Amino acid sequence: MSEVASEKTRGTTLTPSCVVVGHRQRPAMTIPIRTDLIDVITPSRRGFHYYRRILQEAALNPQRWMHHHFIVIFDDDHENNVHALLRWLDKARETMVLPRISATNAPAGSPDILRQIGLGMGSNPYVYFQDDDDPLPLHLDQCMKLMEHGHLDAVFGGTETITERGMTVEQFPRIINGKFVGDVLAGQALFPSYGHPLAALFTRKVLQRVPIYDGSHYHNGNALPFNVRFMNSCVIITALPDICRRVRLHRDNDTGILNTRSAMELATDIRQWRDYIHNPSVVKFQSIIADYLETGWIKTFCEIATLVDEELGN
């Protein structure tokens, strides 16, 4: 693992200390401990050139991002991307104010294995899981305030899909006049793709209780199964009616349309993760979704979301 730069600290929680000078004792300068810091963890299969764009975006707003810890885990069995990143950072810091950055590599194959590795590389009290091809999230400060005052384990938000030019293509779940159209958390508990499964800020403590990776293999990745496990655990959560996650739509990204193979694989995943679900009515609903996927009656995540809305009476 490579780590670059040290983090400047300023805080809201102060640790008292003192020094002895001669026969007098006087208070020493207090050491600030920040409690509002985030580990921004990114698994990357696309490599250094994609991840660099995240850091360049962070440099455009240094007051917002410079104190947080950016962690990247490259999905490969060599250190070429790590070394390329370090060489770029040596030059970039001459003209940019960048956050603390740690980088490593691991030939994991699964993004959630990489996320779990990244979790072990950080220590900040809050965690956000970033994708290497997406813009940085929004409104994490509001999420932290809610979590600090409400002793929450996570705050979920909305997701918007944007083009390479920054045009908004869709927003889910929908937000109208500052409110979600339906009950977001109920929808997500009914089926994990109702909102983006990682459109949330988590506490580190809750991810120690509910790990992002549980050791199981799923065809469509572990983010959806993680959300199922999370929603069926003893967690305290809420939803903020603001955009949290931003997803960049491009040729190499998921369009939300399931081909026959992907639909069959998702149906298999549903039948595997349902062992975590406590509510029999949710198990029944998801079994129906799996049947519809196998018969080809539904082929998109948007269609699944519509069935969730119908089930909830939205």
Side-chain angles (χ1 to χ4, degrees):
M1 180 185 76
S2 299
E3 185 170 306
V4 185
S6 61
E7 179 183 301
K8 295 180 181 178
T9 60
R10 65 181 185 183
T12 54
T13 303
L14 302 180
T15 302
S17 59
C18 64
V19 295
V20 177
V21 181
H23 297 288
R24 292 184 179 181
Q25 188 180 65
R26 71 178 185 185
M29 182 180 294
T30 54
I31 302 172
I33 300 175
R34 294 197 63 162
T35 59
D36 60 344
L37 297 178
I38 303 170
D39 287 332
V40 182
I41 298 174
T42 307
S44 177
R45 64 178 176 85
R46 296 177 178 87
F48 147 72
H49 291 288
Y50 262 88
Y51 185 69
R52 178 179 63 182
R53 297 199 300 179
I54 293 174
L55 300 180
Q56 289 170 327
E57 183 183 352
L60 295 176
N61 191 354
Q63 290 184 334
R64 172 68 191 87
W65 295 109
M66 66 178 292
H67 298 288
H68 301 297
H69 188 183
F70 280 55
I71 299 169
V72 58
I73 313 93
F74 294 108
D75 189 4
D76 54 43
D77 57 0
H78 53 77
E79 295 186 347
N80 292 356
N81 280 302
V82 174
H83 293 318
L85 176 62
L86 295 180
R87 287 194 298 270
W88 178 82
L89 285 171
D90 283 341
K91 295 182 179 180
R93 289 195 185 278
E94 295 177 3
T95 56
M96 299 181 189
V97 178
L98 292 169
R100 178 185 176 193
I101 301 160
S102 297
T104 191
N105 64 288
S110 168
D112 282 282
I113 296 177
L114 300 177
R115 291 183 181 112
Q116 194 67 46
I117 293 171
L119 198 61
M121 293 166 61
S123 59
N124 284 331
Y126 297 100
V127 176
Y128 179 81
F129 295 110
Q130 173 76 21
D131 284 347
D132 66 354
D133 59 335
D134 289 340
L136 287 169
L138 302 173
H139 303 114
L140 294 190
D141 289 334
Q142 290 93 317
C143 292
M144 279 191 288
K145 289 178 182 178
L146 280 175
M147 294 165 83
E148 287 181 351
H149 291 105
H151 304 289
L152 302 172
D153 294 312
V155 173
F156 285 80
T159 299
E160 70 176 6
T161 303
I162 62 173
T163 66
E164 287 281 6
R165 295 185 177 183
M167 295 180 60
T168 300
V169 176
E170 66 171 343
Q171 182 187 93
F172 66 98
R174 289 176 298 158
I175 301 171
I176 297 178
N177 297 326
K179 295 181 179 180
F180 285 115
V181 172
D183 188 335
V184 174
L185 298 181
Q188 199 120 1
L190 197 53
F191 200 85
S193 68
Y194 185 74
H196 193 293
L198 297 178
L201 184 67
F202 300 93
T203 65
R204 173 170 291 276
K205 289 181 179 179
V206 78
L207 293 172
Q208 292 169 348
R209 301 201 320 265
V210 188
I212 187 76
Y213 177 66
D214 69 343
S216 301
H217 170 74
Y218 294 91
H219 295 286
N220 284 275
N222 289 64
L224 292 175
F226 163 73
N227 190 272
V228 171
R229 289 187 290 111
F230 192 82
M231 289 294 179
N232 285 273
S233 300
C234 294
V235 294
I236 305 173
I237 59 177
T238 191
L240 180 70
D242 260 319
I243 294 299
C244 170
R245 198 173 191 90
R246 294 187 294 164
V247 176
R248 183 177 282 116
L249 184 65
H250 55 81
R251 186 178 302 175
D252 190 34
N253 206 357
D254 184 9
T255 61
I257 300 173
L258 298 163
N259 58 36
T260 301
R261 178 180 176 181
S262 297
M264 297 295 284
E265 289 178 343
L266 179 56
T268 301
D269 288 348
I270 292 169
R271 301 191 194 285
Q272 181 177 349
W273 76 47
R274 66 184 178 187
D275 292 340
Y276 293 110
I277 301 173
H278 304 309
N279 189 331
S281 64
V282 175
V283 173
K284 181 179 179 181
F285 176 82
Q286 293 198 9
S287 296
I288 293 172
I289 296 295
D291 291 340
Y292 286 167
L293 288 165
E294 289 171 338
T295 59
W297 194 79
I298 54 176
K299 295 183 178 180
T300 69
F301 285 111
C302 186
E303 290 171 340
I304 295 175
T306 300
L307 292 174
V308 171
D309 283 331
E310 289 180 0
E311 185 71 11
L312 295 176
N314 292 341

